[in-house]
Amino acid sequence: MRLLILGGTAFVGRAIASQSVARGWAVMTFNRGMSGSDVAGVKTIRGDRYSSADLAELAAAGTWDAIVDTSGYVPRNVLRTATALRGRASRYLFMSTVSVYAAWPVESLDEDSTLLDCPPDADESFGQDTEDGPTRYGYQKSGCEAAVQLAFGESQATLLRSGVVLGPNEYVGRLPWWLRRVAEGGRVLAPGDPDRTIQPVDVRDLATFALHAIEHDLSGPFNVTAPTDFDTFGGLLSHCKEATQSVAELVWVPDDDLVRAGVRQWSEIPLWRTFPGVWQVSSARAHAAGLVCRPLRSTVHDTWAWMATLASRQIVNERSGEIGLSKEREAQVLATVIT
């Protein structure tokens, strides 16, 4: 199998490159070489997907059985990239997101839910962020999906709409923040209801399903999340305690108290959000097609093991600076809401 990965050095792209090389596939990556090193065993073409000359050089570099796009964010650019590569591969798999749904995170969703409306040639200014609904990121990813289908046709386009992705090499820092905080011990602010169900997917399971989709010519959209009854927030933090061998005390604070205290959802407390649809994304279609999710406990333990490596300390990303409560802020909130 001949595979071209647009990206291939960070998190999802890296997991796909690693697994495809391990399978003996002939793998080429196309990236700028600025987000990490390439996986051993891949052939790399350095280039910028925003450069017409670089895209022309890539298109002339060969043909592939499939293209995996892990670095597309602007519809106009994805349309130009996919058009330049049309005829060079029989399948274009695009890494999308559940943020493309108009009702996320408020309502339960499946692949038939209404998408945000964005044209396939929209530029980076299209869309807007709202407090508790659609984001510019979601609008743009929806437009990127439309661009892929326009360039390759629906039968040759695969759209993987992932939810929260965790695991080794995570650069956003959500699970690493929780692991570090729990490892520090003491009184740890735990958000909301410990029985709240969550459904993050392991990056390695997402990668495995992507390759499975390519092997079996799966077309169309697939939500890629763990099942809705997969695990709980309490389970997540218990796994963190176990992995780090921590004796931290988890102090569970009700949602309403945290909201009144002005705690920012999703960022100050990673993975905590009160909207009912956040963890109610149906991935039944993907599971029926072959998606298998490992236990969350394994993801947590493996992430902690990776965090002890030199590779984890080499990952620097601007988004990680937005993640997590400071110790001072945490103590202030606990003092406010706990009497």
Side-chain angles (χ1 to χ4, degrees), residues 30 61 114 167 172 181 183 227 243 247 254 256 285 287 300 303-304 316 328:
F30 175 72
T114 301
V172 177
R181 177 61 195 94
V247 294
D256 290 345
R285 184 176 187 225
H287 285 277
V300 171
T303 301
W304 182 243
V316 178
E328 296 75 18

Side-chain angles (χ1 to χ4, degrees), residues 25-42:
W25 294 11
V27 183
M28 178 180 287
T29 60
F30 175 72
N31 56 64
R32 298 175 300 167
M34 299 175 64
S35 299
S37 60
D38 281 282
V39 170
V42 307

